[in-house]
Amino acid sequence: MASDDTARRTQVGPPRLASSLGLLSLCGCMVFVGTFILKRSFGSIAPMPLYPLGESDPVDAIVVLGGGLTSEGTISPWTVARCEAALDIYKIGVAAGAKPMLVTTSWGTTWKPPPHDARGFPISEASAAARHLISLGVPHSDIFEEGVSLDTVGNAFFVRTVHTDPAGWRRLVVITNEFHMPRTKAIFEWVFGLGSCNDYNENYQGGYGIRFVAVADAGLSGHVLEGRRAKEAASLESFLSGTRQRATSMKGLHAFLFGDHTAYASKRHEQATTGALDPAVLSTY
């Protein structure tokens, strides 16, 4: 009888081991699947790696921020300066055999309606800047428009979601004027450092490298420039103390923009319009 018990124990051992290993495998699969579902549902909240791009580093895309239009629908003098700086960087890339793309931004602003063309259609800041770059000799095939955004947070969000994430452009130059750069840098570093679930994007390659280029405030001076600088300083403080705290992922930023932001959320249709700007400051939008 003792020998029979020994035989049974010998036979039972391996199935128990196999069962234990199977259970461990099942638990591992459940953890993997659970993690996958969470990422698909909520997006990773881990920040993206963000690093400074050197002046000699290759560039994938040059982002030219919109800076307002004249009543005739042409870009402002300070936006012309942005485009000229973008053209210089573009030419350097072409000469080096690493041609970057150019991205022009903005539909317009919430502060005033857009101008219209001869056919009565509204002119976006992105299209006007693209037209100007084409007039400077840039092939239209190298220019991509982001004609949706209405503010700087929207610039960053839509550039990333419409162009850089899907296209796999990871090395960026962002160009704006000196008066606008402090807020631009804070916003772009925030948006492009947010974690995101990129399972849909086969070109996703990880974090971004960004170089910020500030150009002179061409066409602005005196009380007009001082008024715009004051407005920028107040907006930067509002962003740092408020907006930046609203999201830790691209999913969260999407929810904020289309749920609460006064430029994009549908609830704006039930709210009173914002107050008027000083005419001098309004002229800079």
Side-chain angles (χ1 to χ4, degrees), residues 24-39:
L24 288 172
S25 298
L26 177 61
C27 290
C29 289
M30 291 174 67
V31 170
F32 174 81
V33 172
T35 303
F36 176 79
I37 291 173
L38 285 172
K39 285 186 176 181

Side-chain angles (χ1 to χ4, degrees), residues 64-270:
V64 185
L65 297 194
L69 300 174
T70 67
S71 58
E72 292 77 29
T74 58
I75 60 176
S76 62
W78 48 95
T79 309
V80 170
R82 302 178 192 186
C83 288
E84 290 174 347
L87 180 64
D88 290 342
I89 298 170
Y90 171 81
K91 288 180 176 179
I92 291 172
V94 171
K99 180 175 67 176
M101 299 296 102
L102 290 122
V103 180
T104 59
T105 73
S106 298
W107 165 256
T109 175
T110 59
W111 293 109
K112 61 184 179 183
H116 291 68
D117 64 19
R119 298 178 298 165
F121 290 99
I123 302 171
S124 72
E125 294 180 13
S127 65
R131 190 179 302 113
H132 184 75
L133 287 166
I134 290 171
S135 74
L136 296 177
V138 179
H140 64 82
S141 57
D142 293 346
I143 303 172
F144 293 76
E145 297 178 28
E146 177 282 294
V148 181
S149 59
L150 294 163
D151 72 335
T152 308
V153 172
N155 291 161
F157 177 82
F158 288 109
V159 165
R160 181 174 173 182
T161 56
V162 173
H163 291 302
T164 63
D165 267 10
W169 299 333
R170 292 292 172 267
R171 299 166 298 183
L172 311 178
V173 171
V174 176
I175 301 176
T176 192
N177 298 100
E178 292 173 349
F179 74 83
H180 189 221
M181 182 52 80
R183 189 162 63 95
T184 294
K185 188 173 186 294
I187 288 172
F188 269 75
E189 287 181 339
W190 174 58
V191 172
F192 281 81
L194 289 175
S196 178
C197 182
N198 285 277
D199 297 306
Y200 70 91
N201 181 7
E202 63 182 8
N203 295 317
Y204 178 67
Q205 300 171 0
Y208 280 93
I210 303 180
R211 174 158 59 99
F212 295 94
V213 174
V215 299
D217 300 325
L220 295 173
S221 61
H223 73 284
V224 174
L225 180 57
E226 289 305 313
R228 182 57 192 264
R229 284 174 175 166
K231 176 68 168 60
E232 285 295 316
S235 297
L236 175 58
E237 175 58 32
S238 176
F239 166 74
L240 294 174
S241 62
T243 304
R244 192 172 64 172
Q245 315 303 319
R246 300 294 298 271
T248 57
S249 69
M250 287 296 285
K251 182 180 178 67
L253 178 54
H254 177 271
F256 163 68
L257 284 178
F258 296 101
D260 290 311
H261 196 295
T262 54
Y264 308 103
S266 293
K267 72 177 185 180
R268 73 188 185 280
H269 301 299
E270 299 177 345

